[in-house]
Amino acid sequence: MTAFKVIVEILLFLIPLALGAKYGPMALIGGAAVSVFIMVEVMRLEPGQAPIAAVFIILSVICATAALTAAGGMAWLVRLAEKGLRKHPKQIPVVGPLLVWLFTVMSGTGNITFALVPILYEVSYSAKIRPERVLATANAVSQLALIASPVAAVSYVFLKYTEPDGNSLGKMLAVTVPATLIATILASLVMSRYGKNLDDDPEYQRRLAAGEIEPPKVVDPTVELEPLRPRAAWSAGIFIGGVVVGCILGFFEPLRPTYLVAQADGSYLDHTVSMSTMIPITMFAVTGLIMILCRVKTPAVISEPIIGTGLIAALLLLSVPVLAGTILNAHMESVTSFVDSSIGVSVMLFALLLFMLASLIQSQVASMTILVPAAMAAGLGPGPMTGMLGAASGNNLLASMGGLGQACILTDKTGSTKQGSILINGSFLVPMLLCIVFSIAVGMGLQLVIF
């Protein structure tokens, strides 16, 4: 009977994932809710808890980013990047992904890459550089850089679980920032020679001969561009200021308020407000300041596409971890024993487990919510886990099915950026694996010094 019950639970976990792969994230969210209802009402399992703090972080960052975009600040930042790229087009295989890394770290979302994709393609093609080399790497970096962002939800979900064991924002970023930055540079250098040059690419030559694509044209960097919204630069400054404030509060704990919390025995303990609380407060404040000072109205903010993306991310975080947590509540001892035995064989197996879980669930935050507590219960310290966080970008394994991957494929008129016959074997697999391997290699070395 126990074996049958476990099989049913596994099926109730896998079916929503299959529905999500076929019909999209809303199907995964709805399917997960159905599975949880069956497990709680029929099988009488204890329901898992939703990571509400992480949801608030996602919503606050998405709102701030939407306000920034509506005020023209995102266009202002992209305009700066575009000018630099057009002046030095031959360096785009490395500079392009570096800009994606920088913008993702600053904004806390990889969705900012959507705004850069047309520029990366146009500049690389005008320089007669295979666009796949730039676009595929940029796609991978847009997920890898999240763990180095001081305002990304994934950073604070990880910090929430590991802070009691001595982790801090400063320690985490001291590992993840250089690890992901070095990984971005190394992966870009490798990818700069990936694939055939356009002159030797038969598919590109066929499209060129058939008139399906125009020959490369040299872009004049001095051409006047359309004017931006008034106070666009203000909004960018406010947003970047909010990110800086978040970093300062994370680095210097005494700057955060401390208050007394009553204990069951009648005593009181000092409690410092956590960063998972301060970040939503800061980013919602950034949203308000941008809207007030830059004169942005609510309809303009909520009409930004990133609002819909953020809502999906928040709903995923309210569903998948609850589904997984409901199963884990019934088998926590077995799961902890499995993770413990795996880590006992090799600490590096944490990276493999994180990669597999992230690729299966398609969410960095949800996979960490499930795995990190189990790993901590098994005795794995925050240092090694921080060094291996790059494995969480395994959520990009099916990049060709995602919105950003499709944007890269459709934008690349040369045909060099491909989806692949079995979804994972397209243009995005190699740079994703390079980013993960390089970031873990550097991160594991750094954590020995930092922790």
Side-chain angles (χ1 to χ4, degrees):
M1 185 64 182
T2 302
F4 175 76
K5 182 180 178 182
V6 171
I7 292 173
V8 172
E9 291 170 358
I10 293 173
L11 289 174
L12 288 173
F13 180 76
L14 294 178
I15 289 174
L17 298 179
L19 291 173
K22 184 174 179 62
Y23 298 108
M26 285 304 298
L28 170 55
I29 293 166
V34 172
S35 292
V36 171
F37 182 86
I38 293 172
M39 285 189 284
V40 172
E41 279 297 319
V42 179
M43 303 175 70
R44 295 302 184 185
L45 299 182
E46 178 188 351
Q49 298 299 310
I52 301 298
V55 172
F56 274 117
I57 291 171
I58 288 179
L59 293 176
S60 66
V61 173
I62 290 299
C63 286
T65 305
L68 171 70
T69 305
M74 191 71 75
W76 185 81
L77 291 171
V78 171
R79 183 73 56 86
L80 288 180
E82 184 178 5
K83 288 181 178 178
L85 287 173
R86 293 190 188 283
K87 288 181 180 179
H88 307 282
K90 292 295 183 182
Q91 280 71 50
I92 195 170
V94 175
V95 177
L98 278 176
L99 282 173
V100 171
W101 180 89
L102 178 62
F103 278 34
T104 302
V105 169
M106 287 194 306
S107 67
T109 171
N111 289 312
I112 193 173
T113 310
F114 278 101
L116 293 172
V117 166
I119 301 168
L120 296 177
Y121 168 72
E122 184 180 338
V123 175
S124 59
Y125 184 50
S126 67
K128 298 182 180 180
I129 294 171
R130 185 180 179 89
E132 177 191 32
R133 297 170 178 172
V134 183
L135 295 178
T137 308
N139 187 294
V141 171
S142 71
Q143 297 304 306
L144 177 71
L146 289 173
I147 62 170
S149 173
V151 291
V154 64
S155 299
Y156 286 98
V157 167
F158 178 70
L159 195 59
K160 172 187 174 183
Y161 290 114
T162 57
E163 207 168 20
D165 277 16
N167 197 6
S168 67
L169 180 65
K171 287 182 179 180
M172 185 183 72
L173 294 182
V175 174
T176 58
V177 169
T180 56
L181 179 58
I182 293 171
T184 296
I185 295 172
L186 294 178
S188 299
L189 290 172
V190 174
M191 289 298 295
S192 67
R193 297 184 177 276
Y194 182 81
K196 297 179 180 179
N197 293 327
L198 289 179
D199 290 340
D200 303 321
D201 190 316
E203 175 58 23
Y204 166 69
Q205 293 300 329
R206 183 197 67 77
R207 295 188 181 197
L208 189 62
E212 297 177 11
I213 184 173
E214 293 291 329
K217 296 179 181 179
V218 177
V219 179
D220 185 358
T222 63
V223 172
E224 287 294 327
L225 301 173
E226 294 182 6
L228 296 172
R229 280 181 54 111
R231 304 188 181 184
W234 289 24
S235 65
I238 294 169
F239 187 91
I240 294 172
V243 174
V244 171
V245 168
C247 289
I248 292 173
L249 292 175
F251 291 149
F252 303 103
E253 185 176 306
L255 294 177
R256 284 178 266 151
T258 300
Y259 53 90
L260 296 176
V261 177
Q263 304 300 300
D265 59 1
S267 62
Y268 291 86
L269 290 178
D270 288 339
H271 175 77
T272 301
V273 176
S274 68
M275 284 305 297
S276 60
T277 299
M278 291 306 302
I279 282 296
I281 294 173
T282 303
M283 297 315 290
F284 277 130
V286 166
T287 304
L289 287 174
I290 290 176
M291 294 182 69
I292 294 169
L293 298 178
C294 301
R295 300 174 184 174
V296 179
K297 295 185 177 180
T298 298
V301 175
I302 63 176
S303 64
E304 290 295 333
I306 197 170
I307 288 290
T309 304
L311 179 61
I312 292 293
L315 290 174
L316 280 171
L317 201 54
L318 286 172
S319 56
V320 176
V322 173
L323 171 61
T326 303
I327 298 175
L328 288 175
N329 284 339
H331 306 282
M332 182 54 77
E333 289 187 10
S334 300
V335 172
T336 303
S337 176
F338 171 74
V339 175
D340 190 15
S341 61
S342 299
I343 293 171
V345 173
S346 173
V347 170
M348 291 299 294
L349 282 177
F350 173 83
L352 179 61
L353 292 172
L354 181 57
F355 174 85
M356 293 174 61
L357 196 57
S359 62
L360 185 65
I361 299 176
Q362 297 288 288
S363 170
Q364 293 187 359
V365 174
S367 59
M368 286 193 191
T369 302
I370 296 169
L371 183 59
V372 171
M376 291 184 64
L380 186 61
M385 282 193 285
T386 303
M388 291 182 279
L389 284 184
S393 56
N395 71 313
N396 215 24
L397 182 63
L398 299 176
S400 61
M401 291 176 59
L404 182 57
Q406 284 296 311
C408 292
I409 293 170
L410 295 174
T411 301
D412 185 0
K413 304 303 181 185
T414 68
S416 65
T417 309
K418 303 178 180 67
Q419 180 165 302
S421 57
I422 57 172
L423 299 180
I424 68 170
N425 65 332
S427 298
F428 308 104
L429 179 62
V430 172
M432 181 199 70
L433 294 176
L434 287 173
C435 284
I436 290 174
V437 171
F438 287 140
S439 67
I440 291 176
V442 177
M444 287 301 287
L446 288 172
Q447 65 89 19
L448 294 175
V449 179
I450 302 300
F451 284 86

PDB file of all heavy atoms in Angstrom, residues 4-5 19 25-26 36 51 86 89 122 131 141 154 169 213 217 220 254-255 260 294 308 334 370 431 435 450:
ATOM      1  N   PHE A   4       2.284   1.903  -3.435  1.00  0.00           N
ATOM      2  CA  PHE A   4       1.236   2.440  -4.329  1.00  0.00           C
ATOM      3  C   PHE A   4       1.014   3.928  -4.034  1.00  0.00           C
ATOM      4  O   PHE A   4       0.863   4.742  -4.960  1.00  0.00           O
ATOM      5  CB  PHE A   4      -0.066   1.660  -4.118  1.00  0.00           C
ATOM      6  CG  PHE A   4      -1.223   2.209  -4.907  1.00  0.00           C
ATOM      7  CD1 PHE A   4      -1.323   1.990  -6.269  1.00  0.00           C
ATOM      8  CD2 PHE A   4      -2.209   2.972  -4.268  1.00  0.00           C
ATOM      9  CE1 PHE A   4      -2.390   2.506  -6.993  1.00  0.00           C
ATOM     10  CE2 PHE A   4      -3.273   3.490  -4.987  1.00  0.00           C
ATOM     11  CZ  PHE A   4      -3.363   3.255  -6.353  1.00  0.00           C
ATOM     12  N   LYS A   5       1.023   4.288  -2.753  1.00  0.00           N
ATOM     13  CA  LYS A   5       0.817   5.682  -2.364  1.00  0.00           C
ATOM     14  C   LYS A   5       1.937   6.565  -2.896  1.00  0.00           C
ATOM     15  O   LYS A   5       1.702   7.675  -3.405  1.00  0.00           O
ATOM     16  CB  LYS A   5       0.745   5.778  -0.836  1.00  0.00           C
ATOM     17  CG  LYS A   5       0.490   7.188  -0.319  1.00  0.00           C
ATOM     18  CD  LYS A   5       0.446   7.193   1.203  1.00  0.00           C
ATOM     19  CE  LYS A   5       0.246   8.619   1.726  1.00  0.00           C
ATOM     20  NZ  LYS A   5       0.239   8.664   3.212  1.00  0.00           N
ATOM     21  N   LEU A  19       2.010  18.863 -18.067  1.00  0.00           N
ATOM     22  CA  LEU A  19       1.025  19.821 -18.583  1.00  0.00           C
ATOM     23  C   LEU A  19       1.665  21.185 -18.836  1.00  0.00           C
ATOM     24  O   LEU A  19       1.366  21.855 -19.832  1.00  0.00           O
ATOM     25  CB  LEU A  19      -0.134  19.972 -17.589  1.00  0.00           C
ATOM     26  CG  LEU A  19      -1.069  18.768 -17.430  1.00  0.00           C
ATOM     27  CD1 LEU A  19      -2.050  18.998 -16.289  1.00  0.00           C
ATOM     28  CD2 LEU A  19      -1.820  18.498 -18.731  1.00  0.00           C
ATOM     29  N   PRO A  25       3.028  27.756 -18.531  1.00  0.00           N
ATOM     30  CA  PRO A  25       3.093  27.850 -17.062  1.00  0.00           C
ATOM     31  C   PRO A  25       1.744  27.904 -16.355  1.00  0.00           C
ATOM     32  O   PRO A  25       1.613  27.401 -15.243  1.00  0.00           O
ATOM     33  CB  PRO A  25       3.885  29.150 -16.840  1.00  0.00           C
ATOM     34  CG  PRO A  25       3.770  29.919 -18.114  1.00  0.00           C
ATOM     35  CD  PRO A  25       3.677  28.888 -19.192  1.00  0.00           C
ATOM     36  N   MET A  26       0.723  28.500 -16.974  1.00  0.00           N
ATOM     37  CA  MET A  26      -0.582  28.550 -16.308  1.00  0.00           C
ATOM     38  C   MET A  26      -1.166  27.150 -16.140  1.00  0.00           C
ATOM     39  O   MET A  26      -1.847  26.867 -15.151  1.00  0.00           O
ATOM     40  CB  MET A  26      -1.548  29.435 -17.094  1.00  0.00           C
ATOM     41  CG  MET A  26      -1.286  30.931 -16.964  1.00  0.00           C
ATOM     42  SD  MET A  26      -1.280  31.524 -15.249  1.00  0.00           S
ATOM     43  CE  MET A  26      -2.957  31.160 -14.743  1.00  0.00           C
ATOM     44  N   VAL A  36      -2.409  19.206  -5.439  1.00  0.00           N
ATOM     45  CA  VAL A  36      -2.380  19.517  -4.005  1.00  0.00           C
ATOM     46  C   VAL A  36      -3.742  19.249  -3.369  1.00  0.00           C
ATOM     47  O   VAL A  36      -3.833  18.701  -2.258  1.00  0.00           O
ATOM     48  CB  VAL A  36      -1.958  20.986  -3.778  1.00  0.00           C
ATOM     49  CG1 VAL A  36      -2.137  21.377  -2.311  1.00  0.00           C
ATOM     50  CG2 VAL A  36      -0.509  21.197  -4.191  1.00  0.00           C
ATOM     51  N   PRO A  51       6.260  30.156  -0.108  1.00  0.00           N
ATOM     52  CA  PRO A  51       7.289  31.129   0.292  1.00  0.00           C
ATOM     53  C   PRO A  51       6.819  32.558   0.040  1.00  0.00           C
ATOM     54  O   PRO A  51       7.173  33.190  -0.957  1.00  0.00           O
ATOM     55  CB  PRO A  51       8.479  30.753  -0.597  1.00  0.00           C
ATOM     56  CG  PRO A  51       7.856  30.160  -1.820  1.00  0.00           C
ATOM     57  CD  PRO A  51       6.601  29.469  -1.359  1.00  0.00           C
ATOM     58  N   ARG A  86      27.671  49.979 -30.941  1.00  0.00           N
ATOM     59  CA  ARG A  86      27.811  50.414 -32.333  1.00  0.00           C
ATOM     60  C   ARG A  86      29.188  51.028 -32.610  1.00  0.00           C
ATOM     61  O   ARG A  86      29.664  50.995 -33.735  1.00  0.00           O
ATOM     62  CB  ARG A  86      26.699  51.403 -32.688  1.00  0.00           C
ATOM     63  CG  ARG A  86      25.310  50.773 -32.711  1.00  0.00           C
ATOM     64  CD  ARG A  86      24.282  51.711 -33.291  1.00  0.00           C
ATOM     65  NE  ARG A  86      22.932  51.202 -33.161  1.00  0.00           N
ATOM     66  CZ  ARG A  86      22.396  50.245 -33.917  1.00  0.00           C
ATOM     67  NH1 ARG A  86      23.112  49.681 -34.866  1.00  0.00           N
ATOM     68  NH2 ARG A  86      21.153  49.851 -33.725  1.00  0.00           N
ATOM     69  N   PRO A  89      31.755  47.368 -32.762  1.00  0.00           N
ATOM     70  CA  PRO A  89      30.967  46.176 -33.114  1.00  0.00           C
ATOM     71  C   PRO A  89      31.756  44.873 -33.100  1.00  0.00           C
ATOM     72  O   PRO A  89      31.189  43.813 -32.833  1.00  0.00           O
ATOM     73  CB  PRO A  89      30.459  46.501 -34.525  1.00  0.00           C
ATOM     74  CG  PRO A  89      31.433  47.498 -35.061  1.00  0.00           C
ATOM     75  CD  PRO A  89      31.864  48.312 -33.884  1.00  0.00           C
ATOM     76  N   GLU A 122      21.482  43.063 -34.598  1.00  0.00           N
ATOM     77  CA  GLU A 122      21.784  44.040 -35.649  1.00  0.00           C
ATOM     78  C   GLU A 122      23.274  44.376 -35.680  1.00  0.00           C
ATOM     79  O   GLU A 122      23.886  44.430 -36.748  1.00  0.00           O
ATOM     80  CB  GLU A 122      20.956  45.311 -35.430  1.00  0.00           C
ATOM     81  CG  GLU A 122      21.123  46.347 -36.534  1.00  0.00           C
ATOM     82  CD  GLU A 122      20.295  47.588 -36.279  1.00  0.00           C
ATOM     83  OE1 GLU A 122      19.314  47.505 -35.516  1.00  0.00           O
ATOM     84  OE2 GLU A 122      20.652  48.635 -36.833  1.00  0.00           O
ATOM     85  N   PRO A 131      25.423  35.673 -35.555  1.00  0.00           N
ATOM     86  CA  PRO A 131      24.589  36.152 -34.441  1.00  0.00           C
ATOM     87  C   PRO A 131      24.373  35.122 -33.343  1.00  0.00           C
ATOM     88  O   PRO A 131      24.204  35.488 -32.168  1.00  0.00           O
ATOM     89  CB  PRO A 131      23.264  36.515 -35.134  1.00  0.00           C
ATOM     90  CG  PRO A 131      23.639  36.824 -36.542  1.00  0.00           C
ATOM     91  CD  PRO A 131      24.756  35.869 -36.859  1.00  0.00           C
ATOM     92  N   VAL A 141      23.451  33.863 -20.109  1.00  0.00           N
ATOM     93  CA  VAL A 141      23.911  34.809 -19.091  1.00  0.00           C
ATOM     94  C   VAL A 141      22.725  35.462 -18.382  1.00  0.00           C
ATOM     95  O   VAL A 141      22.796  35.769 -17.184  1.00  0.00           O
ATOM     96  CB  VAL A 141      24.817  35.879 -19.739  1.00  0.00           C
ATOM     97  CG1 VAL A 141      25.123  37.001 -18.751  1.00  0.00           C
ATOM     98  CG2 VAL A 141      26.115  35.238 -20.222  1.00  0.00           C
ATOM     99  N   VAL A 154      15.772  35.166  -6.357  1.00  0.00           N
ATOM    100  CA  VAL A 154      16.503  33.929  -6.090  1.00  0.00           C
ATOM    101  C   VAL A 154      17.600  34.169  -5.049  1.00  0.00           C
ATOM    102  O   VAL A 154      17.879  33.300  -4.215  1.00  0.00           O
ATOM    103  CB  VAL A 154      17.084  33.349  -7.400  1.00  0.00           C
ATOM    104  CG1 VAL A 154      18.123  34.276  -8.011  1.00  0.00           C
ATOM    105  CG2 VAL A 154      17.686  31.978  -7.170  1.00  0.00           C
ATOM    106  N   LEU A 169      24.418  38.674   2.751  1.00  0.00           N
ATOM    107  CA  LEU A 169      24.396  39.183   1.383  1.00  0.00           C
ATOM    108  C   LEU A 169      25.814  39.479   0.892  1.00  0.00           C
ATOM    109  O   LEU A 169      26.171  39.177  -0.248  1.00  0.00           O
ATOM    110  CB  LEU A 169      23.537  40.439   1.297  1.00  0.00           C
ATOM    111  CG  LEU A 169      23.430  41.082  -0.093  1.00  0.00           C
ATOM    112  CD1 LEU A 169      22.725  40.157  -1.062  1.00  0.00           C
ATOM    113  CD2 LEU A 169      22.699  42.433  -0.013  1.00  0.00           C
ATOM    114  N   ILE A 213      17.106  37.555 -46.894  1.00  0.00           N
ATOM    115  CA  ILE A 213      17.776  38.421 -45.942  1.00  0.00           C
ATOM    116  C   ILE A 213      18.678  39.376 -46.701  1.00  0.00           C
ATOM    117  O   ILE A 213      19.282  39.008 -47.722  1.00  0.00           O
ATOM    118  CB  ILE A 213      18.600  37.588 -44.923  1.00  0.00           C
ATOM    119  CG1 ILE A 213      19.232  38.512 -43.864  1.00  0.00           C
ATOM    120  CG2 ILE A 213      19.654  36.746 -45.611  1.00  0.00           C
ATOM    121  CD1 ILE A 213      19.917  37.753 -42.741  1.00  0.00           C
ATOM    122  N   LYS A 217      24.867  45.484 -43.395  1.00  0.00           N
ATOM    123  CA  LYS A 217      25.089  46.904 -43.657  1.00  0.00           C
ATOM    124  C   LYS A 217      25.791  47.514 -42.454  1.00  0.00           C
ATOM    125  O   LYS A 217      25.469  47.214 -41.308  1.00  0.00           O
ATOM    126  CB  LYS A 217      23.758  47.632 -43.888  1.00  0.00           C
ATOM    127  CG  LYS A 217      23.007  47.152 -45.124  1.00  0.00           C
ATOM    128  CD  LYS A 217      21.690  47.906 -45.269  1.00  0.00           C
ATOM    129  CE  LYS A 217      20.926  47.418 -46.499  1.00  0.00           C
ATOM    130  NZ  LYS A 217      19.616  48.117 -46.645  1.00  0.00           N
ATOM    131  N   ASP A 220      25.684  53.353 -38.957  1.00  0.00           N
ATOM    132  CA  ASP A 220      26.318  54.619 -38.603  1.00  0.00           C
ATOM    133  C   ASP A 220      25.982  54.975 -37.153  1.00  0.00           C
ATOM    134  O   ASP A 220      24.822  55.249 -36.831  1.00  0.00           O
ATOM    135  CB  ASP A 220      25.820  55.722 -39.536  1.00  0.00           C
ATOM    136  CG  ASP A 220      26.539  57.047 -39.293  1.00  0.00           C
ATOM    137  OD1 ASP A 220      27.397  57.103 -38.382  1.00  0.00           O
ATOM    138  OD2 ASP A 220      26.235  58.016 -40.012  1.00  0.00           O
ATOM    139  N   PRO A 254      23.909  46.540  10.838  1.00  0.00           N
ATOM    140  CA  PRO A 254      23.486  47.514  11.864  1.00  0.00           C
ATOM    141  C   PRO A 254      22.589  48.629  11.318  1.00  0.00           C
ATOM    142  O   PRO A 254      21.912  49.303  12.114  1.00  0.00           O
ATOM    143  CB  PRO A 254      24.820  48.084  12.358  1.00  0.00           C
ATOM    144  CG  PRO A 254      25.812  46.997  12.119  1.00  0.00           C
ATOM    145  CD  PRO A 254      25.372  46.350  10.845  1.00  0.00           C
ATOM    146  N   LEU A 255      22.568  48.828  10.000  1.00  0.00           N
ATOM    147  CA  LEU A 255      21.711  49.858   9.425  1.00  0.00           C
ATOM    148  C   LEU A 255      20.240  49.444   9.424  1.00  0.00           C
ATOM    149  O   LEU A 255      19.355  50.294   9.283  1.00  0.00           O
ATOM    150  CB  LEU A 255      22.151  50.188   7.993  1.00  0.00           C
ATOM    151  CG  LEU A 255      23.522  50.848   7.839  1.00  0.00           C
ATOM    152  CD1 LEU A 255      23.839  51.054   6.367  1.00  0.00           C
ATOM    153  CD2 LEU A 255      23.563  52.178   8.581  1.00  0.00           C
ATOM    154  N   LEU A 260      12.867  43.863  19.904  1.00  0.00           N
ATOM    155  CA  LEU A 260      12.789  42.721  20.812  1.00  0.00           C
ATOM    156  C   LEU A 260      11.603  41.827  20.438  1.00  0.00           C
ATOM    157  O   LEU A 260      10.506  42.321  20.161  1.00  0.00           O
ATOM    158  CB  LEU A 260      12.646  43.193  22.253  1.00  0.00           C
ATOM    159  CG  LEU A 260      13.850  43.979  22.817  1.00  0.00           C
ATOM    160  CD1 LEU A 260      13.529  44.472  24.228  1.00  0.00           C
ATOM    161  CD2 LEU A 260      15.104  43.110  22.826  1.00  0.00           C
ATOM    162  N   CYS A 294       8.644  61.129 -11.810  1.00  0.00           N
ATOM    163  CA  CYS A 294       8.721  61.078 -13.278  1.00  0.00           C
ATOM    164  C   CYS A 294       7.340  61.154 -13.929  1.00  0.00           C
ATOM    165  O   CYS A 294       7.209  60.983 -15.143  1.00  0.00           O
ATOM    166  CB  CYS A 294       9.450  59.805 -13.719  1.00  0.00           C
ATOM    167  SG  CYS A 294      11.126  59.690 -13.067  1.00  0.00           S
ATOM    168  N   GLY A 308       2.977  41.004 -16.531  1.00  0.00           N
ATOM    169  CA  GLY A 308       2.430  39.663 -16.756  1.00  0.00           C
ATOM    170  C   GLY A 308       3.440  38.584 -16.460  1.00  0.00           C
ATOM    171  O   GLY A 308       3.122  37.551 -15.845  1.00  0.00           O
ATOM    172  N   SER A 334      13.118  10.580   4.400  1.00  0.00           N
ATOM    173  CA  SER A 334      13.681   9.842   3.266  1.00  0.00           C
ATOM    174  C   SER A 334      14.424  10.782   2.322  1.00  0.00           C
ATOM    175  O   SER A 334      15.511  10.449   1.825  1.00  0.00           O
ATOM    176  CB  SER A 334      12.564   9.118   2.501  1.00  0.00           C
ATOM    177  OG  SER A 334      11.895   8.200   3.329  1.00  0.00           O
ATOM    178  N   ILE A 370      12.876  24.088  -2.552  1.00  0.00           N
ATOM    179  CA  ILE A 370      12.724  22.662  -2.276  1.00  0.00           C
ATOM    180  C   ILE A 370      14.029  22.040  -1.784  1.00  0.00           C
ATOM    181  O   ILE A 370      14.063  21.327  -0.785  1.00  0.00           O
ATOM    182  CB  ILE A 370      12.252  21.924  -3.554  1.00  0.00           C
ATOM    183  CG1 ILE A 370      10.857  22.412  -3.957  1.00  0.00           C
ATOM    184  CG2 ILE A 370      12.251  20.412  -3.343  1.00  0.00           C
ATOM    185  CD1 ILE A 370      10.434  21.945  -5.327  1.00  0.00           C
ATOM    186  N   PRO A 431      26.274  27.180 -24.543  1.00  0.00           N
ATOM    187  CA  PRO A 431      26.613  28.312 -23.668  1.00  0.00           C
ATOM    188  C   PRO A 431      26.050  28.174 -22.262  1.00  0.00           C
ATOM    189  O   PRO A 431      26.686  28.625 -21.299  1.00  0.00           O
ATOM    190  CB  PRO A 431      26.010  29.516 -24.398  1.00  0.00           C
ATOM    191  CG  PRO A 431      25.000  28.961 -25.332  1.00  0.00           C
ATOM    192  CD  PRO A 431      25.511  27.621 -25.718  1.00  0.00           C
ATOM    193  N   CYS A 435      28.504  28.276 -19.030  1.00  0.00           N
ATOM    194  CA  CYS A 435      28.286  29.226 -17.933  1.00  0.00           C
ATOM    195  C   CYS A 435      28.206  28.515 -16.592  1.00  0.00           C
ATOM    196  O   CYS A 435      28.781  28.965 -15.594  1.00  0.00           O
ATOM    197  CB  CYS A 435      27.009  30.022 -18.183  1.00  0.00           C
ATOM    198  SG  CYS A 435      27.156  31.315 -19.437  1.00  0.00           S
ATOM    199  N   ILE A 450      36.021  32.922   1.148  1.00  0.00           N
ATOM    200  CA  ILE A 450      35.002  33.831   1.718  1.00  0.00           C
ATOM    201  C   ILE A 450      34.363  33.250   2.970  1.00  0.00           C
ATOM    202  O   ILE A 450      34.145  33.958   3.966  1.00  0.00           O
ATOM    203  CB  ILE A 450      33.916  34.146   0.681  1.00  0.00           C
ATOM    204  CG1 ILE A 450      34.552  34.775  -0.575  1.00  0.00           C
ATOM    205  CG2 ILE A 450      32.865  35.071   1.273  1.00  0.00           C
ATOM    206  CD1 ILE A 450      35.288  36.065  -0.319  1.00  0.00           C
TER     207      ILE A 450
END
